[in-house]
Amino acid sequence: MLSLRDLVVDIEGSRVLRGISLEVNAGEIICLVGRNGAGKTTTFRTIMGFRKPRSGTIAFEGRDIMGRRPYQIARLGLGFSPEESEVFGELTVAENIAMPTWLPTATRDGERTAAERIARAYQVFPKLERYRDRGGQALSGGERKMVSIARALALDPKLLLLDEPTEGLSPTIVPSIVEGLAAIRADGHAIFLAESNIHHVPDFADRLYVIERGEIIFAGKPELARRDPAVARIVSGTMEPGDGGRWTSIEPGHGL
């Protein structure tokens, strides 16, 4: 479904992504785990067309999407909820969620109607039903996160990109986000999410990649990553001087 090959991205003369390769298949939940500054957000923003790569390829459903504008990429079936979870403060929750349905998009086979897409967003995050008329500026961080994901879901995307959906949230709100992810996956959507804490990776994730200093250093099943001391040191921010992050552990069958 989504394929990155040898992706290199420079920002203001600094190399942020150093030839990363990864794949997300239809119906999967894939996690990109790494410390702050490792390259997670740059990866997502490059996929969505906000950053121009220096080299490499990005393909979605076999189609080259490099060079396309973000709105064109979204119309192909990629939804994006950024780390900042920005919502429009002057709009209500209902208006924020309905926004993707206001403009015409290319029709895809089996696509839900606007009303169906909006209704599904509320089914995934039922708490938002109580806040339909609340202004975006009055929402808590967790509520903004749910609105941001629900708004992306209202596109009825084939693949949903979520940048740190649980970062900075109260422990009481995290289960609602995780339950929402499970519901989205059960609905047939693939999910590619980024997390800085490996313990926030959902138990039902299919595979994960660990990124460090712009390089993929682990690819495989989440349970193997949790048992790997080197991976644990990196994602907990406790790498020792001299570790350098220059090692690679790729589980057989999950090569890059």
Side-chain angles (χ1 to χ4, degrees), residues 5-60:
R5 285 288 177 269
D6 304 318
L7 195 66
V8 176
V9 177
D10 295 342
I11 299 178
E12 297 181 356
S14 297
R15 184 139 299 178
V16 179
L17 297 182
R18 304 172 181 271
I20 70 168
S21 297
L22 56 83
E23 291 184 354
V24 181
N25 298 315
E28 285 189 318
I29 292 186
I30 304 300
C31 300
L32 181 65
V33 183
R35 298 181 295 179
N36 291 335
K40 303 185 302 295
T41 295
T42 298
T43 299
F44 278 38
R45 293 184 66 82
T46 303
I47 292 170
M48 291 304 301
F50 294 106
R51 291 282 183 192
K52 183 179 179 180
R54 182 180 181 87
S55 61
T57 62
I58 306 173
F60 181 64

CSV table of all heavy atoms in Angstrom, one decimal, residues 5-60:
chain,number,residue,atom,x,y,z
A,5,ARG,N,11.3,4.0,-0.1
A,5,ARG,CA,12.5,3.4,-0.5
A,5,ARG,C,13.7,4.4,-0.5
A,5,ARG,O,13.6,5.4,-1.2
A,5,ARG,CB,12.4,2.7,-1.9
A,5,ARG,CG,11.6,1.5,-1.9
A,5,ARG,CD,12.4,0.3,-1.2
A,5,ARG,NE,11.6,-0.9,-1.1
A,5,ARG,CZ,10.8,-1.2,-0.1
A,5,ARG,NH1,10.7,-0.4,0.9
A,5,ARG,NH2,10.1,-2.4,-0.2
A,6,ASP,N,14.7,4.2,0.4
A,6,ASP,CA,15.9,4.9,0.4
A,6,ASP,C,15.6,6.4,0.5
A,6,ASP,O,16.3,7.3,-0.2
A,6,ASP,CB,16.8,4.6,-0.9
A,6,ASP,CG,17.1,3.2,-1.0
A,6,ASP,OD1,17.4,2.5,0.1
A,6,ASP,OD2,17.0,2.6,-2.1
A,7,LEU,N,14.7,6.8,1.3
A,7,LEU,CA,14.3,8.2,1.4
A,7,LEU,C,15.3,9.1,2.2
A,7,LEU,O,15.6,8.8,3.3
A,7,LEU,CB,12.9,8.3,2.1
A,7,LEU,CG,12.1,9.6,2.0
A,7,LEU,CD1,11.7,9.8,0.5
A,7,LEU,CD2,10.9,9.6,2.8
A,8,VAL,N,15.7,10.1,1.5
A,8,VAL,CA,16.7,11.1,2.1
A,8,VAL,C,16.0,12.4,2.2
A,8,VAL,O,15.5,12.9,1.1
A,8,VAL,CB,18.0,11.1,1.3
A,8,VAL,CG1,18.9,12.2,1.9
A,8,VAL,CG2,18.7,9.7,1.3
A,9,VAL,N,16.1,13.1,3.3
A,9,VAL,CA,15.5,14.4,3.5
A,9,VAL,C,16.5,15.3,4.2
A,9,VAL,O,16.9,14.9,5.3
A,9,VAL,CB,14.1,14.4,4.2
A,9,VAL,CG1,13.6,15.8,4.4
A,9,VAL,CG2,13.1,13.5,3.5
A,10,ASP,N,16.7,16.5,3.6
A,10,ASP,CA,17.6,17.5,4.3
A,10,ASP,C,16.7,18.7,4.7
A,10,ASP,O,15.8,19.1,3.9
A,10,ASP,CB,18.7,18.0,3.3
A,10,ASP,CG,19.7,16.9,3.0
A,10,ASP,OD1,19.7,15.9,3.7
A,10,ASP,OD2,20.4,17.1,2.0
A,11,ILE,N,16.9,19.2,5.8
A,11,ILE,CA,16.3,20.4,6.3
A,11,ILE,C,17.3,21.5,6.7
A,11,ILE,O,18.1,21.2,7.6
A,11,ILE,CB,15.3,20.2,7.5
A,11,ILE,CG1,14.2,19.1,7.0
A,11,ILE,CG2,14.6,21.4,8.0
A,11,ILE,CD1,13.3,18.8,8.1
A,12,GLU,N,17.3,22.6,6.0
A,12,GLU,CA,18.2,23.7,6.2
A,12,GLU,C,19.7,23.2,6.3
A,12,GLU,O,20.4,23.6,7.2
A,12,GLU,CB,17.8,24.4,7.5
A,12,GLU,CG,16.5,25.1,7.4
A,12,GLU,CD,16.1,25.8,8.7
A,12,GLU,OE1,16.9,25.8,9.7
A,12,GLU,OE2,15.0,26.5,8.7
A,13,GLY,N,20.0,22.4,5.4
A,13,GLY,CA,21.4,21.9,5.3
A,13,GLY,C,21.7,20.7,6.2
A,13,GLY,O,22.9,20.2,6.1
A,14,SER,N,20.8,20.3,7.0
A,14,SER,CA,21.1,19.1,7.9
A,14,SER,C,20.3,17.9,7.4
A,14,SER,O,19.1,18.0,7.0
A,14,SER,CB,20.6,19.4,9.3
A,14,SER,OG,21.4,20.5,9.9
A,15,ARG,N,21.0,16.8,7.4
A,15,ARG,CA,20.3,15.5,6.9
A,15,ARG,C,19.5,15.0,8.1
A,15,ARG,O,20.0,14.6,9.1
A,15,ARG,CB,21.4,14.5,6.5
A,15,ARG,CG,20.8,13.2,5.9
A,15,ARG,CD,21.5,12.8,4.7
A,15,ARG,NE,21.5,13.8,3.6
A,15,ARG,CZ,22.1,13.6,2.5
A,15,ARG,NH1,22.8,12.6,2.2
A,15,ARG,NH2,22.1,14.6,1.5
A,16,VAL,N,18.2,14.9,7.8
A,16,VAL,CA,17.3,14.4,8.9
A,16,VAL,C,16.9,13.0,8.6
A,16,VAL,O,16.8,12.2,9.6
A,16,VAL,CB,16.0,15.3,8.9
A,16,VAL,CG1,15.0,14.9,10.0
A,16,VAL,CG2,16.4,16.8,9.2
A,17,LEU,N,16.6,12.6,7.4
A,17,LEU,CA,16.3,11.2,7.1
A,17,LEU,C,17.5,10.7,6.2
A,17,LEU,O,17.8,11.3,5.2
A,17,LEU,CB,15.0,11.1,6.4
A,17,LEU,CG,13.7,11.5,7.1
A,17,LEU,CD1,12.5,11.2,6.3
A,17,LEU,CD2,13.7,10.8,8.5
A,18,ARG,N,18.0,9.5,6.6
A,18,ARG,CA,19.2,9.0,6.0
A,18,ARG,C,18.9,7.7,5.2
A,18,ARG,O,19.4,6.6,5.6
A,18,ARG,CB,20.3,8.8,7.0
A,18,ARG,CG,20.6,10.0,7.8
A,18,ARG,CD,21.5,9.8,9.0
A,18,ARG,NE,21.8,10.9,9.8
A,18,ARG,CZ,22.8,11.8,9.5
A,18,ARG,NH1,23.7,11.5,8.5
A,18,ARG,NH2,23.0,12.8,10.3
A,19,GLY,N,18.1,7.8,4.2
A,19,GLY,CA,17.9,6.6,3.3
A,19,GLY,C,17.0,5.6,4.0
A,19,GLY,O,17.2,4.4,3.9
A,20,ILE,N,15.8,6.0,4.6
A,20,ILE,CA,15.0,5.1,5.2
A,20,ILE,C,14.1,4.4,4.2
A,20,ILE,O,13.7,4.9,3.2
A,20,ILE,CB,14.1,5.7,6.3
A,20,ILE,CG1,13.0,6.7,5.7
A,20,ILE,CG2,14.9,6.5,7.3
A,20,ILE,CD1,12.0,7.1,6.7
A,21,SER,N,13.8,3.1,4.5
A,21,SER,CA,12.8,2.3,3.7
A,21,SER,C,11.9,1.6,4.7
A,21,SER,O,12.3,1.1,5.7
A,21,SER,CB,13.6,1.2,2.9
A,21,SER,OG,14.5,1.8,2.0
A,22,LEU,N,10.6,1.6,4.3
A,22,LEU,CA,9.6,0.9,5.1
A,22,LEU,C,8.3,0.7,4.3
A,22,LEU,O,8.2,1.3,3.2
A,22,LEU,CB,9.2,1.7,6.4
A,22,LEU,CG,8.8,3.1,6.3
A,22,LEU,CD1,7.3,3.2,6.0
A,22,LEU,CD2,9.1,3.9,7.6
A,23,GLU,N,7.5,-0.2,4.8
A,23,GLU,CA,6.2,-0.5,4.0
A,23,GLU,C,5.1,-0.6,5.0
A,23,GLU,O,5.2,-1.0,6.2
A,23,GLU,CB,6.4,-1.9,3.3
A,23,GLU,CG,7.3,-1.9,2.1
A,23,GLU,CD,7.3,-3.2,1.4
A,23,GLU,OE1,6.7,-4.1,1.9
A,23,GLU,OE2,8.0,-3.3,0.3
A,24,VAL,N,3.9,-0.2,4.5
A,24,VAL,CA,2.6,-0.4,5.2
A,24,VAL,C,1.7,-1.1,4.3
A,24,VAL,O,1.4,-0.6,3.2
A,24,VAL,CB,2.0,0.9,5.7
A,24,VAL,CG1,0.7,0.7,6.4
A,24,VAL,CG2,3.0,1.7,6.5
A,25,ASN,N,1.2,-2.3,4.7
A,25,ASN,CA,0.3,-3.0,3.8
A,25,ASN,C,-1.2,-2.8,4.2
A,25,ASN,O,-1.5,-2.3,5.3
A,25,ASN,CB,0.6,-4.5,3.9
A,25,ASN,CG,2.0,-4.9,3.5
A,25,ASN,OD1,2.4,-4.4,2.4
A,25,ASN,ND2,2.7,-5.7,4.3
A,26,ALA,N,-2.1,-3.1,3.3
A,26,ALA,CA,-3.5,-2.9,3.5
A,26,ALA,C,-3.9,-3.5,4.8
A,26,ALA,O,-3.6,-4.7,5.0
A,26,ALA,CB,-4.3,-3.4,2.3
A,27,GLY,N,-4.7,-2.8,5.6
A,27,GLY,CA,-5.3,-3.4,6.8
A,27,GLY,C,-4.3,-3.5,8.0
A,27,GLY,O,-4.8,-3.9,9.1
A,28,GLU,N,-3.1,-3.1,7.8
A,28,GLU,CA,-2.1,-3.2,8.9
A,28,GLU,C,-2.1,-2.0,9.9
A,28,GLU,O,-2.5,-0.9,9.4
A,28,GLU,CB,-0.7,-3.3,8.4
A,28,GLU,CG,-0.4,-4.7,7.8
A,28,GLU,CD,1.1,-4.8,7.5
A,28,GLU,OE1,1.7,-3.9,7.0
A,28,GLU,OE2,1.7,-5.9,7.8
A,29,ILE,N,-1.7,-2.2,11.1
A,29,ILE,CA,-1.3,-1.1,12.0
A,29,ILE,C,0.2,-1.2,12.1
A,29,ILE,O,0.8,-2.2,12.7
A,29,ILE,CB,-2.0,-1.2,13.3
A,29,ILE,CG1,-3.5,-0.9,13.2
A,29,ILE,CG2,-1.4,-0.1,14.3
A,29,ILE,CD1,-4.2,-0.8,14.5
A,30,ILE,N,0.9,-0.2,11.6
A,30,ILE,CA,2.4,-0.1,11.7
A,30,ILE,C,2.8,1.1,12.5
A,30,ILE,O,2.2,2.2,12.4
A,30,ILE,CB,3.0,0.0,10.3
A,30,ILE,CG1,2.5,-1.1,9.4
A,30,ILE,CG2,4.5,0.0,10.3
A,30,ILE,CD1,2.8,-2.5,9.9
A,31,CYS,N,3.8,0.9,13.4
A,31,CYS,CA,4.2,2.0,14.3
A,31,CYS,C,5.7,2.4,13.9
A,31,CYS,O,6.5,1.5,13.7
A,31,CYS,CB,4.2,1.5,15.7
A,31,CYS,SG,2.5,1.1,16.3
A,32,LEU,N,5.9,3.6,13.9
A,32,LEU,CA,7.3,4.2,13.8
A,32,LEU,C,7.6,4.8,15.1
A,32,LEU,O,7.0,5.8,15.6
A,32,LEU,CB,7.3,5.3,12.7
A,32,LEU,CG,8.7,5.9,12.4
A,32,LEU,CD1,9.6,4.9,11.9
A,32,LEU,CD2,8.5,7.1,11.5
A,33,VAL,N,8.6,4.1,15.8
A,33,VAL,CA,9.0,4.5,17.2
A,33,VAL,C,10.3,5.2,17.2
A,33,VAL,O,11.3,4.6,16.6
A,33,VAL,CB,8.9,3.3,18.1
A,33,VAL,CG1,9.2,3.7,19.5
A,33,VAL,CG2,7.6,2.6,18.0
A,34,GLY,N,10.5,6.2,17.9
A,34,GLY,CA,11.8,6.9,18.0
A,34,GLY,C,11.7,8.1,19.0
A,34,GLY,O,10.6,8.6,19.2
A,35,ARG,N,12.8,8.4,19.5
A,35,ARG,CA,12.9,9.6,20.4
A,35,ARG,C,12.6,10.9,19.7
A,35,ARG,O,12.6,10.9,18.4
A,35,ARG,CB,14.3,9.7,21.0
A,35,ARG,CG,14.6,8.4,21.9
A,35,ARG,CD,16.0,8.6,22.5
A,35,ARG,NE,17.1,8.6,21.5
A,35,ARG,CZ,18.3,8.8,21.8
A,35,ARG,NH1,18.7,8.9,23.1
A,35,ARG,NH2,19.3,8.8,20.9
A,36,ASN,N,12.3,11.9,20.4
A,36,ASN,CA,12.0,13.2,19.8
A,36,ASN,C,13.3,13.7,19.0
A,36,ASN,O,14.4,13.5,19.5
A,36,ASN,CB,11.8,14.3,20.9
A,36,ASN,CG,10.4,14.1,21.6
A,36,ASN,OD1,9.5,13.5,21.0
A,36,ASN,ND2,10.3,14.5,22.8
A,37,GLY,N,13.0,14.1,17.8
A,37,GLY,CA,14.1,14.5,16.9
A,37,GLY,C,14.7,13.4,16.1
A,37,GLY,O,15.6,13.6,15.3
A,38,ALA,N,14.2,12.2,16.2
A,38,ALA,CA,14.7,11.0,15.5
A,38,ALA,C,14.4,11.0,14.0
A,38,ALA,O,15.0,10.4,13.2
A,38,ALA,CB,14.3,9.7,16.1
A,39,GLY,N,13.3,11.8,13.6
A,39,GLY,CA,12.8,11.8,12.2
A,39,GLY,C,11.4,11.4,12.0
A,39,GLY,O,11.0,11.3,10.8
A,40,LYS,N,10.6,11.1,13.0
A,40,LYS,CA,9.3,10.6,12.8
A,40,LYS,C,8.4,11.6,12.1
A,40,LYS,O,7.7,11.3,11.1
A,40,LYS,CB,8.7,10.3,14.2
A,40,LYS,CG,9.4,9.3,15.0
A,40,LYS,CD,8.7,8.8,16.3
A,40,LYS,CE,8.4,10.0,17.2
A,40,LYS,NZ,9.6,10.7,17.7
A,41,THR,N,8.3,12.9,12.6
A,41,THR,CA,7.5,13.9,12.0
A,41,THR,C,7.9,14.2,10.6
A,41,THR,O,7.1,14.4,9.7
A,41,THR,CB,7.4,15.1,12.9
A,41,THR,OG1,6.8,14.8,14.2
A,41,THR,CG2,6.7,16.3,12.3
A,42,THR,N,9.2,14.3,10.4
A,42,THR,CA,9.7,14.6,9.1
A,42,THR,C,9.3,13.5,8.1
A,42,THR,O,8.9,13.8,6.9
A,42,THR,CB,11.3,14.7,9.1
A,42,THR,OG1,11.7,15.8,9.9
A,42,THR,CG2,11.8,14.9,7.7
A,43,THR,N,9.3,12.2,8.5
A,43,THR,CA,8.8,11.1,7.7
A,43,THR,C,7.4,11.3,7.3
A,43,THR,O,7.0,11.2,6.1
A,43,THR,CB,9.0,9.8,8.4
A,43,THR,OG1,10.4,9.5,8.7
A,43,THR,CG2,8.4,8.6,7.6
A,44,PHE,N,6.5,11.7,8.3
A,44,PHE,CA,5.1,11.8,8.0
A,44,PHE,C,4.9,13.0,7.1
A,44,PHE,O,4.1,13.0,6.1
A,44,PHE,CB,4.3,12.0,9.3
A,44,PHE,CG,4.0,10.6,9.9
A,44,PHE,CD1,4.9,9.6,9.9
A,44,PHE,CD2,2.8,10.4,10.6
A,44,PHE,CE1,4.7,8.4,10.5
A,44,PHE,CE2,2.5,9.2,11.2
A,44,PHE,CZ,3.4,8.2,11.2
A,45,ARG,N,5.5,14.1,7.4
A,45,ARG,CA,5.3,15.4,6.6
A,45,ARG,C,5.9,15.2,5.2
A,45,ARG,O,5.3,15.8,4.2
A,45,ARG,CB,6.0,16.6,7.3
A,45,ARG,CG,5.3,16.9,8.6
A,45,ARG,CD,5.9,18.2,9.2
A,45,ARG,NE,5.6,19.3,8.4
A,45,ARG,CZ,4.5,20.0,8.4
A,45,ARG,NH1,3.5,19.7,9.2
A,45,ARG,NH2,4.3,21.1,7.6
A,46,THR,N,6.9,14.4,5.0
A,46,THR,CA,7.4,14.1,3.6
A,46,THR,C,6.4,13.3,2.9
A,46,THR,O,6.2,13.5,1.7
A,46,THR,CB,8.8,13.5,3.7
A,46,THR,OG1,9.7,14.3,4.5
A,46,THR,CG2,9.4,13.3,2.3
A,47,ILE,N,5.9,12.2,3.5
A,47,ILE,CA,4.9,11.4,2.9
A,47,ILE,C,3.7,12.3,2.4
A,47,ILE,O,3.2,12.1,1.2
A,47,ILE,CB,4.3,10.3,3.8
A,47,ILE,CG1,5.5,9.3,4.1
A,47,ILE,CG2,3.1,9.6,3.2
A,47,ILE,CD1,5.1,8.3,5.2
A,48,MET,N,3.3,13.2,3.2
A,48,MET,CA,2.1,14.0,2.9
A,48,MET,C,2.4,15.2,2.0
A,48,MET,O,1.5,16.0,1.6
A,48,MET,CB,1.4,14.5,4.2
A,48,MET,CG,0.8,13.4,5.0
A,48,MET,SD,-0.5,12.5,4.1
A,48,MET,CE,-1.7,13.7,3.6
A,49,GLY,N,3.6,15.3,1.5
A,49,GLY,CA,4.0,16.4,0.6
A,49,GLY,C,4.3,17.7,1.2
A,49,GLY,O,4.5,18.7,0.4
A,50,PHE,N,4.5,17.8,2.5
A,50,PHE,CA,4.9,19.1,3.1
A,50,PHE,C,6.4,19.3,3.1
A,50,PHE,O,6.9,20.4,3.2
A,50,PHE,CB,4.4,19.1,4.6
A,50,PHE,CG,3.0,19.2,4.7
A,50,PHE,CD1,2.2,18.1,5.1
A,50,PHE,CD2,2.2,20.3,4.4
A,50,PHE,CE1,0.9,18.1,5.3
A,50,PHE,CE2,0.9,20.4,4.6
A,50,PHE,CZ,0.2,19.2,5.0
A,51,ARG,N,7.2,18.2,2.9
A,51,ARG,CA,8.6,18.3,2.7
A,51,ARG,C,9.0,17.6,1.4
A,51,ARG,O,8.4,16.6,1.0
A,51,ARG,CB,9.3,17.5,3.9
A,51,ARG,CG,9.2,18.2,5.2
A,51,ARG,CD,10.2,19.3,5.4
A,51,ARG,NE,10.1,19.9,6.7
A,51,ARG,CZ,10.7,21.1,7.0
A,51,ARG,NH1,11.3,21.7,6.1
A,51,ARG,NH2,10.5,21.6,8.2
A,52,LYS,N,10.0,18.2,0.8
A,52,LYS,CA,10.5,17.7,-0.5
A,52,LYS,C,11.8,16.8,-0.2
A,52,LYS,O,12.8,17.3,0.3
A,52,LYS,CB,10.9,18.8,-1.4
A,52,LYS,CG,11.3,18.3,-2.8
A,52,LYS,CD,11.6,19.4,-3.7
A,52,LYS,CE,12.1,19.0,-5.1
A,52,LYS,NZ,12.4,20.1,-6.0
A,53,PRO,N,11.8,15.5,-0.5
A,53,PRO,CA,12.9,14.7,-0.3
A,53,PRO,C,14.1,15.0,-1.3
A,53,PRO,O,13.8,15.5,-2.4
A,53,PRO,CB,12.4,13.3,-0.5
A,53,PRO,CG,11.2,13.4,-1.4
A,53,PRO,CD,10.6,14.8,-1.1
A,54,ARG,N,15.3,14.8,-0.8
A,54,ARG,CA,16.4,14.9,-1.7
A,54,ARG,C,16.6,13.8,-2.7
A,54,ARG,O,16.9,14.0,-3.8
A,54,ARG,CB,17.7,15.0,-0.8
A,54,ARG,CG,19.0,15.3,-1.6
A,54,ARG,CD,20.2,15.3,-0.7
A,54,ARG,NE,21.4,15.6,-1.4
A,54,ARG,CZ,21.9,16.8,-1.7
A,54,ARG,NH1,21.2,17.9,-1.3
A,54,ARG,NH2,23.0,16.9,-2.4
A,55,SER,N,16.2,12.6,-2.2
A,55,SER,CA,16.3,11.4,-3.1
A,55,SER,C,15.4,10.3,-2.4
A,55,SER,O,14.9,10.4,-1.3
A,55,SER,CB,17.7,10.9,-3.3
A,55,SER,OG,18.3,10.5,-2.0
A,56,GLY,N,15.2,9.2,-3.2
A,56,GLY,CA,14.4,8.1,-2.8
A,56,GLY,C,13.0,8.2,-3.4
A,56,GLY,O,12.8,9.0,-4.3
A,57,THR,N,12.2,7.2,-3.0
A,57,THR,CA,10.8,7.2,-3.7
A,57,THR,C,9.8,7.0,-2.6
A,57,THR,O,10.0,6.4,-1.5
A,57,THR,CB,10.8,6.0,-4.6
A,57,THR,OG1,11.0,4.7,-3.9
A,57,THR,CG2,11.8,6.1,-5.7
A,58,ILE,N,8.6,7.5,-2.9
A,58,ILE,CA,7.4,7.3,-2.1
A,58,ILE,C,6.3,6.8,-3.0
A,58,ILE,O,5.9,7.6,-3.9
A,58,ILE,CB,7.0,8.6,-1.3
A,58,ILE,CG1,8.1,9.1,-0.5
A,58,ILE,CG2,5.8,8.3,-0.4
A,58,ILE,CD1,7.8,10.5,0.1
A,59,ALA,N,5.7,5.7,-2.7
A,59,ALA,CA,4.7,5.2,-3.6
A,59,ALA,C,3.5,4.8,-2.7
A,59,ALA,O,3.6,4.2,-1.6
A,59,ALA,CB,5.1,4.0,-4.4
A,60,PHE,N,2.3,5.1,-3.2
A,60,PHE,CA,1.0,4.7,-2.6
A,60,PHE,C,0.2,3.9,-3.6
A,60,PHE,O,-0.1,4.4,-4.6
A,60,PHE,CB,0.3,5.9,-2.1
A,60,PHE,CG,-1.0,5.6,-1.3
A,60,PHE,CD1,-1.0,4.9,-0.1
A,60,PHE,CD2,-2.2,6.0,-1.9
A,60,PHE,CE1,-2.2,4.6,0.5
A,60,PHE,CE2,-3.4,5.7,-1.2
A,60,PHE,CZ,-3.4,5.0,0.0
